[in-house]
Amino acid sequence: MERVTRRGVEDVSWRWQGGDDPLCQRRRVLVAGIGNGSLGDEAFGIEVVERLRGHSLPDGTELCDFEGQGINLAYALVGGYDAAILVDVVSRGGQPGSLYVFEPNPAAGDTVPLEYHKMTPLVVIGLARLLGSLPSQLLIVACEPTGSSLEAMSNEMTPDVAAAVEPAVKVVAELACRLSCGTAPAHQWHVWKPARWR
């Protein structure tokens, strides 16, 4: 396991062994991959969740692929989970392949357009809020897509986004462990960028 920091991903001495911490009461955590495997970089969230299936995660952590199923994800978010991590591509104006971790604000006063044809993480959260109670902790792990790649029909991600998949797997795995114990911090991080942008 590697620690997520404000500067990036760095090595730490401890490793998650899959065992139970006697001081930690396990919580239900949903890790949801969002996207479309046929639209290039849109496959990012799906691929991250698929690779996480080979990792040891805390009991109570559920990995789900919601490819093209934004409404189903909205219903899942009100299904009694204590915390959730949504993994997707989100354009935030950074360099392609950059990774971000941020906590959306699902307060009642927020305005989120319900664009059913484009179920982005914020749109899904907005819909879920109308359906019931959201998890007490929500995090989005997002990758900056490459330009117009989201509009292109392709079974392959662009190189920068593909290179961000494995770092994202490490980030999500650590966050899942922290959320399982209720210790994940609640601030925004720019956690990783491809080597050519450093």
Side-chain angles (χ1 to χ4, degrees):
M1 187 77 57
E2 295 175 350
R3 185 188 304 279
V4 186
T5 73
R6 289 180 181 273
R7 297 181 302 278
V9 181
E10 63 181 17
D11 292 331
V12 294
S13 59
W14 62 273
R15 296 291 184 273
W16 174 256
Q17 301 295 332
D20 286 331
D21 181 342
L23 300 179
C24 174
Q25 295 183 347
R26 295 295 172 209
R27 306 162 78 222
R28 289 187 67 206
V29 178
L30 172 66
V31 178
I34 306 173
N36 187 321
S38 299
L39 289 177
D41 288 349
E42 281 279 4
F44 174 79
I46 308 301
E47 182 63 23
V48 169
V49 166
E50 185 59 32
R51 294 197 195 182
L52 277 166
R53 298 189 190 282
H55 285 243
S56 177
L57 296 171
D59 292 341
T61 301
E62 297 181 32
L63 301 173
C64 295
D65 170 353
F66 288 93
E67 181 173 4
Q69 303 177 55
I71 293 178
N72 289 342
L73 173 54
Y75 277 102
L77 286 174
V78 296
Y81 291 98
D82 298 298
I85 304 170
L86 309 186
V87 188
D88 198 4
V89 285
V90 175
S91 182
R92 293 171 64 84
Q95 301 292 354
S98 297
L99 291 179
Y100 315 101
V101 178
F102 60 96
E103 184 178 45
N105 182 1
D110 290 351
T111 299
V112 180
L114 298 184
E115 302 171 9
Y116 292 98
H117 65 287
K118 187 173 180 60
M119 299 295 279
T120 65
L122 290 181
V123 170
V124 171
I125 291 168
L127 176 58
R129 193 175 60 213
L130 299 177
L131 297 172
S133 298
L134 292 168
S136 60
Q137 287 186 286
L138 270 172
L139 294 177
I140 295 175
V141 175
C143 180
E144 186 77 36
T146 302
S148 61
S149 64
L150 301 181
E151 306 298 326
M153 293 292 293
S154 173
N155 291 323
E156 295 185 0
M157 292 176 281
T158 56
D160 285 329
V161 173
V165 169
E166 197 56 38
V169 167
K170 296 173 182 178
V171 169
V172 174
E174 167 140 353
L175 289 173
C177 294
R178 290 173 177 266
L179 286 171
S180 179
C181 286
T183 60
H187 51 242
Q188 299 189 25
W189 295 331
H190 181 176
V191 295
W192 188 84
K193 64 174 65 176
R196 72 190 186 97
W197 301 122
R198 296 174 192 166

